[in-house]
Amino acid sequence: MKKRRHKSIYFLAFVLLLMTGVVFFQVSSAYSKSIQKEQELVRLQKELDQAIERNVELESEKLQIDTEEYIKKKAREEFNLINDGEIIFIQEDD
């Protein structure tokens, strides 16, 4: 009778230990995934901040491009535009 009782206690202890191990494994796995998700969230937030900053820069550039001064500047640089009354000097390479 006592042997049977000891076997029952050992069996229950084994099952309890096994369940504790499984629960510990599940908790540690969930914690690891949580840390990975937090790191990914931080990385994505940085990407979002950079994208917002780039968007602001592009909006500013767009406003600048729409000005007459910018158009004249680009025309001078790319198409050698001159205004009335200006004189062009051409320098020959030696």
Side-chain angles (χ1 to χ4, degrees):
M1 195 71 147
K2 285 188 178 184
K3 282 187 176 184
R4 191 171 181 201
R5 180 180 262 189
H6 286 297
K7 285 183 180 181
S8 299
I9 291 174
Y10 289 140
F11 179 73
L12 287 175
F14 174 75
V15 169
L16 183 62
L17 185 63
L18 184 64
M19 290 178 66
T20 303
V22 169
V23 169
F24 178 75
F25 177 76
Q26 292 292 329
V27 168
S28 65
S29 177
Y31 181 72
S32 176
K33 287 179 184 178
S34 173
I35 288 175
Q36 289 175 348
K37 294 295 182 182
E38 285 180 22
Q39 290 172 345
E40 184 178 4
L41 180 63
V42 168
R43 182 185 59 80
L44 289 173
Q45 186 63 46
K46 285 180 183 178
E47 281 184 31
L48 178 63
D49 291 344
Q50 289 173 349
I52 289 171
E53 188 176 309
R54 179 70 177 138
N55 191 32
V56 168
E57 290 172 3
L58 290 173
E59 287 292 331
S60 174
E61 192 175 315
K62 179 184 172 200
L63 291 174
Q64 206 176 30
I65 287 173
D66 290 339
T67 63
E68 190 174 327
E69 291 175 17
Y70 181 83
I71 294 170
K72 283 184 180 180
K73 178 183 171 192
K74 281 298 184 183
R76 282 181 177 274
E77 291 173 359
E78 295 182 21
F79 304 113
N80 298 320
L81 175 74
I82 59 169
N83 289 326
D84 292 335
E86 290 183 336
I87 300 172
I88 295 180
F89 292 97
I90 301 174
Q91 184 177 5
E92 292 182 16
D93 294 332
D94 290 333

